[in-house]
Amino acid sequence: MAVPERLKGIAPLQGELVTLPSVQELRPVNSFEEAYVAEIDIKLSNVVVKLLETNYPRNPELSLSHLRRLLRPEHLPEPLKRELEESQQRQGSPSKPAASIHVLIPPPLPEISEIQTLLAPYAPKTPIEADTTNPPPEPLQPIIRIQKTVISTKPPTTIAEAQEWSRTKWSTVYNPAARSAIHAPPQVQLIRAKASISPRAGYFLALAREVAGETLRSGRGRGVGAVIVDPELLTGKSDDTDELLNSVVAVAGDTRWWKASLEKHAEGATQEKKEPDADDEGGPESHAVMRGISMVSRKRIALNNPVTSEPESSTPSEVESAPLSPTSLESHFFQLPNLLKSSKGGYLCTALDLYVTHEPCICCSMGMLLSRFRSVTVLQSGMRRSGEGNSLDAVHGYGLHWREELNWRAIGFEFTESEVGGDKAGEEFNA
């Protein structure tokens, strides 16, 4: 059957698109460090803050914008307020309260004696009642009162968490906008991506399953298929089959058994289904996702050098011998002149969407992030549910699609079929 006819017969999968949670959402890690609190003259607070920033620069890796720098005595957290009152009772209260304010000194921390020496000229002035009979003695060098507390080096994830930290540790501000970019996709970005992907995910995943089936039947690799789509080509377009197919930049299947299939073909073996040993498998460069990225790369070369780098037309022998040689479906989409010049950065797959039948391996997931995909959508039947090596599963694995440690993040989705057919994949392997 000709490729266009096969594509016309693909029926979209029916199901629901669910957002993959991030590691930060499921396993929030709070980082607390010790800090100092110094009592100073309220009139000199601005001078003291500048002095501290000059002598003790903050760690540039820590963003402490969620912490207040200055607090009046009445706004101190309960433990610090109680400690301050007990200290004043032991020393005897002055006739009038000192006009003081408390400044936070975050890590890295110097010696307490060093801070007391530096801030001594800025100690709060304690009023002394006039006594004409006994003139006051020479004033002693004031001592800066230093207290210890604990601060969070990461912003709070909820209002309740900010309130609890303010009550027990130090005054903390909750900023929803600051949280979203670190812990999970910003709501605006997530809503737009989901609205764009949800109506079409069933069709593109059905196409990925068709690519996987072609790969499996050829004996070149496992039944894994990947489809790469440019959502910009669908902007303002209808969701009929022709428009959906025209937005597909590349498709790729798995070829990890291509060497074994060559040997089998050379020996004139029958087409009996027999899975090669693990030692026969190729590396991640033979996986569907990495092959799809390579095809986008080759199309970009052809786009930038149309005269010298036109898509190659391989002979049958070359198709059988090269790891990146296309199948009929791969060749069809590779030859479509639908790859737009990148206007959003110089990376291979900036703003493109990836649909894959199985959860990619760790190497492929990192390749996906380095290529700057906008999103990745995986069939639920292809998500691994055990093992710590899961790449996208944030429950048991790494949740690489959205981790604050990485310099790029892709929105992750899982497509749950409402009625799973008989070809549901239950294999446990890295795709």
Side-chain angles (χ1 to χ4, degrees), residues 222 256-257 260 275-283 286-287 429-430:
R222 293 184 182 270
R256 70 183 75 192
W257 293 339
E275 182 175 317
D277 296 330
D279 294 338
D280 296 328
E281 291 193 0
S286 299
H287 294 182
F429 59 85
N430 291 322

Side-chain angles (χ1 to χ4, degrees), residues 95-321:
S95 57
K96 293 182 181 180
S100 65
I101 197 168
H102 296 260
V103 60
L104 179 70
I105 306 173
L109 298 175
E111 293 292 332
I112 291 181
S113 58
E114 183 180 335
I115 298 178
Q116 289 177 325
T117 301
L118 179 68
L119 300 184
Y122 309 98
K125 305 297 188 295
T126 304
I128 301 177
E129 294 183 358
D131 188 346
T132 56
T133 58
N134 297 311
E138 290 294 324
L140 300 175
Q141 181 75 5
I143 298 178
I144 292 289
R145 181 185 286 111
I146 302 292
Q147 295 176 278
K148 294 181 180 180
T149 189
V150 174
I151 59 171
S152 172
T153 59
K154 295 184 178 181
T157 58
T158 63
I159 295 177
E161 193 171 49
Q163 292 174 342
E164 175 64 17
W165 293 350
S166 297
R167 188 179 63 83
T168 60
K169 296 175 175 60
W170 187 257
S171 183
T172 307
V173 179
Y174 172 69
N175 183 357
R179 169 198 175 268
S180 60
I182 298 176
H183 293 82
Q187 283 299 308
V188 174
Q189 182 181 344
L190 178 60
I191 291 172
R192 287 177 180 173
K194 193 168 185 178
S196 168
I197 293 170
S198 184
R200 301 149 179 162
Y203 182 82
F204 292 130
L205 287 171
L207 176 58
R209 184 172 279 176
E210 182 71 18
V211 174
E214 184 179 52
T215 298
L216 193 60
R217 289 190 297 270
S218 69
R220 293 152 49 94
R222 293 184 182 270
V224 181
V227 172
I228 298 174
V229 176
D230 188 346
E232 190 172 339
L233 294 174
L234 288 169
T235 303
K237 303 290 182 64
S238 61
D239 288 343
D240 62 59
T241 302
D242 289 336
E243 297 290 359
L244 293 173
L245 292 174
N246 287 336
S247 69
V248 178
V249 173
V251 303
D254 187 90
T255 61
R256 70 183 75 192
W257 293 339
W258 68 279
K259 288 184 179 179
S261 65
L262 275 182
E263 295 172 359
K264 186 176 181 179
H265 179 76
E267 296 171 359
T270 63
Q271 294 299 317
E272 179 185 358
K273 298 290 184 183
K274 184 178 180 181
E275 182 175 317
D277 296 330
D279 294 338
D280 296 328
E281 291 193 0
E285 73 278 1
S286 299
H287 294 182
V289 172
M290 295 295 276
R291 292 189 66 241
I293 295 172
S294 295
M295 289 182 181
V296 174
S297 174
R298 292 169 65 192
K299 288 187 76 167
R300 288 220 182 275
I301 293 174
L303 180 66
N304 295 328
N305 305 284
V307 177
T308 59
S309 302
E310 294 180 355
E312 303 173 1
S313 56
S314 304
T315 63
S317 60
E318 290 173 336
V319 170
E320 292 174 352
S321 61

Side-chain angles (χ1 to χ4, degrees), residues 415-427:
F415 188 87
T416 305
E417 292 182 77
S418 53
E419 294 182 8
V420 180
D423 58 347
K424 175 180 177 180
E427 300 172 278

